[in-house]
Amino acid sequence: MNQIHAQAEGPAAYGGVRHVLARWDHPDTTPGDQAAMVMDFPFSFVFDTLFLPLFAINEIVENGIVVTDARPSIERGTIADRSGR
């Protein structure tokens, strides 16, 4: 679900799987995060497959979507937190 909000374009085809793969080698990713990713991967794959028709249409309309290694929105904090105020 994070990848739906991680990029402005909206959900990408297999975005959950692509997000897990992008986050795997990120410098801030801990072994605990990787363990959670291993457990999440099958669920992301199934969810992404179920919603593939919708997400693929969105990706076609957006001419491809780059899935980033952005942290989950719950971990990013508010805009005020990020600006240092």
Side-chain angles (χ1 to χ4, degrees):
M1 293 305 294
N2 172 66
Q3 68 89 23
I4 292 174
H5 303 290
Q7 60 270 344
E9 300 91 348
Y14 284 98
V17 170
R18 291 163 56 187
H19 177 74
V20 167
L21 296 175
R23 283 289 303 166
W24 187 265
D25 287 329
H26 192 276
D28 292 339
T29 301
T30 66
D33 293 335
Q34 290 176 332
M37 289 177 196
V38 168
M39 290 186 291
D40 176 67
F41 192 86
F43 296 102
S44 290
F45 181 80
V46 169
F47 181 81
D48 287 343
T49 301
L50 290 173
F51 286 92
L52 182 61
L54 175 66
F55 295 172
I57 290 170
N58 186 54
E59 186 146 351
I60 291 167
V61 168
E62 294 293 335
N63 290 322
I65 298 173
V66 176
V67 177
T68 67
D69 60 0
R71 297 181 75 151
S73 58
I74 195 166
E75 294 179 14
R76 284 182 265 175
T78 64
I79 292 173
D81 292 339
R82 286 181 267 163
S83 66
R85 295 185 189 146

